[in-house]
Amino acid sequence: MSGRALLMWDDALTGYDFGDGHPMDPVRLELTMGLVRAYGLDRAVDVVAAKPAGDSTLRLVHREDYVAAVRAASADPGAADQAYGLGTMDDPAFAGMHEASALIAGQSVGAAEAVWRGEAAHAVNFAGGLHHAMPGSAAGFCIYNDASLAIARLLELGAERVAYVDVDVHHGDGVQAAFWEDPRVLTVSLHEHPRTLFPGTGWPEETGAEGPAEGGAVNVALPAGTGDAGWLRAFHAVVPELLADFRPQVLVTQHGADTHFEDPLAHLAVSLDAQRAAQAACHDLAHAYAGGRWIALGGGGYAVVDVVPRSWTHLVGIAAGVPVEPESVIPSSWRDEVYARTRQLAPGRMTDGRWPVSWRGWDEGYDPADRLDQAVLAARRAVFPLRGLLA
């Protein structure tokens, strides 16, 4: 297995562009890659571009009629079929949509292939993590579900156990749906409670299809306002024990940066420093339970200057084995780039001033009257007994 990590990147990934005023501004990808380069991380990884996902690959998850509908909308955006979730406010059709979406999917599939074959231990596709797309429809800014496609490709290559951990502020509903009946895949999602945020799913009672797959879906529905200590407490109260039990051959993680307190579309209060801590924890869990095989994806994140580039640059550094110090002063070259590109002032350091982040471990006890602890208890009680674990 190669010691160097892969960073999946093609400048054409910024072609995934829903247009002016849409929250999913591709400048977040451009600025992230710029910050990766400013720190020299592009020299610590192998930067590679995989080919776009072809139709046979897309059909591992998506229905043939849906792929055809995306192609048609891509060729003629004005004729997009809203029955497939295309041409809506969330997912406006744009020329070249199929090609841009297939390219993102191809990077995640390529990452999965490289990690499975031992060409790299870790691979990052921060343009990916489009976890809301369903087999037959677009949803939540997501056209093709690259995370599900990467997992499906791993299964096709012979993987028998794949774990997916999603720390985006929104429920990883599309990935859960894709593997609802498949006991080979464990999906774990920590997200803002469905009562207060799209997509309205991800209740703890959603545990997988009855039968062998029951207990294969895990949902930690966090109360709005959850901050660093509660978020990390919930993560460590659920994820490590499940991975220790499941023993995945590969760990796939989704790192939406929209849990941040500055994100305009959600209501958690997590800092960049806690996001970095969760990324480092995922890296360590991959080594503890998945033989070091780790595929890390991006996801949501709509504070496109202040948060997303810093969060995902930390992710690349951790995967590369050269983590960026939180107190690091951001290179002035990147800050100049940000101003030239957006006319916004860039942040000065790679921290929100909360490093190191601390939290209280679950083994220290819990408070049944605390809303965060209630969320953790609900998830553990719904799933742990199904897996033969103590709730």
Side-chain angles (χ1 to χ4, degrees):
M1 183 179 291
S2 169
R4 285 173 66 86
L6 296 184
L7 175 57
M8 314 303 294
W9 179 254
D10 186 316
D11 288 343
L13 291 167
T14 60
Y16 191 80
D17 186 354
F18 290 115
D20 293 343
H22 193 281
M24 184 78 95
D25 188 335
V27 75
R28 68 198 196 122
L29 303 181
E30 180 184 335
L31 294 180
T32 300
M33 195 60 196
L35 190 54
V36 165
R37 289 174 175 140
Y39 272 104
L41 295 175
D42 57 324
R43 299 190 296 273
V45 297
D46 291 329
V47 180
V48 299
K51 64 183 181 180
D55 282 9
S56 62
T57 296
L58 293 172
R59 287 198 298 268
L60 291 174
V61 168
H62 294 290
R63 296 200 319 250
E64 187 172 0
D65 61 313
Y66 173 61
V67 175
V70 175
R71 282 188 177 277
S74 185
D76 182 4
D81 189 343
Q82 293 197 6
Y84 290 101
L86 303 169
T88 63
M89 285 187 65
D90 274 2
D91 299 283
F94 60 92
M97 180 171 63
H98 166 78
E99 290 76 13
S101 304
L103 184 62
I104 290 175
Q107 305 316 301
S108 294
V109 171
E113 292 171 345
V115 168
W116 181 253
R117 292 168 178 162
E119 296 164 10
H122 308 149
V124 178
N125 176 23
F126 58 73
L130 304 181
H131 58 171
H132 293 308
M134 293 292 176
S137 65
F141 315 160
C142 305
I143 306 300
Y144 293 139
N145 196 317
D146 64 285
S148 294
L149 289 163
I151 295 168
R153 181 65 173 137
L154 289 167
L155 299 176
E156 187 179 50
L157 290 171
E160 297 174 345
R161 295 180 311 283
V162 179
Y164 172 76
V165 175
D166 188 320
V167 296
D168 193 288
V169 78
H170 302 92
H171 177 226
D173 57 339
V175 185
Q176 175 179 287
F179 302 104
W180 185 253
E181 299 179 352
D182 196 332
R184 297 173 297 174
V185 181
L186 173 71
T187 65
V188 185
S189 179
L190 291 88
H191 47 266
E192 185 179 328
H193 201 286
R195 275 196 297 260
T196 55
L197 194 65
F198 174 90
T201 58
W203 298 79
E205 295 80 15
E206 298 170 29
T207 58
E210 186 176 348
E214 194 170 19
V218 186
N219 289 290
V220 188
L222 302 169
T226 297
D228 291 358
W231 191 66
L232 291 171
R233 173 171 166 79
F235 179 96
H236 287 280
V238 174
V239 177
E241 197 168 345
L242 288 169
L243 295 184
D245 170 68
F246 188 65
R247 292 279 169 175
Q249 293 161 295
V250 185
L251 177 62
V252 181
T253 57
Q254 196 268 22
H255 297 272
D258 44 9
T259 52
H260 196 271
F261 55 76
E262 288 187 9
D263 197 90
L265 299 189
H267 318 98
L268 295 191
V270 174
S271 73
L272 180 75
D273 301 292
Q275 290 178 348
R276 184 187 187 278
Q279 295 164 4
C282 287
H283 168 268
D284 293 347
L285 289 166
H287 281 275
Y289 302 119
R293 289 179 288 273
W294 182 34
I295 299 158
L297 309 174
Y302 310 101
V304 299
V305 171
D306 285 350
V307 178
V308 175
R310 292 190 297 161
S311 185
W312 292 346
T313 296
H314 275 307
L315 180 64
V316 173
I318 290 165
V322 285
V324 177
E325 289 299 319
E327 290 294 337
S328 168
V329 175
I330 292 174
S332 59
S333 60
W334 185 77
R335 298 175 68 195
D336 292 343
E337 176 189 347
V338 168
Y339 188 76
R341 185 70 178 79
T342 68
R343 289 297 185 262
Q344 294 185 46
L345 296 178
R349 293 183 184 271
M350 292 292 284
T351 178
D352 285 332
R354 299 186 183 180
W355 190 264
V357 184
S358 61
W359 68 92
R360 193 165 61 90
W362 193 251
D363 56 359
E364 297 178 32
Y366 59 85
D367 178 0
D370 180 83
R371 291 175 65 217
L372 185 282
D373 285 3
Q374 288 171 359
V376 173
L377 276 171
R380 290 178 62 101
R381 287 172 175 168
V383 172
F384 277 41
L386 297 173
R387 305 200 65 85
L389 302 172
L390 293 176

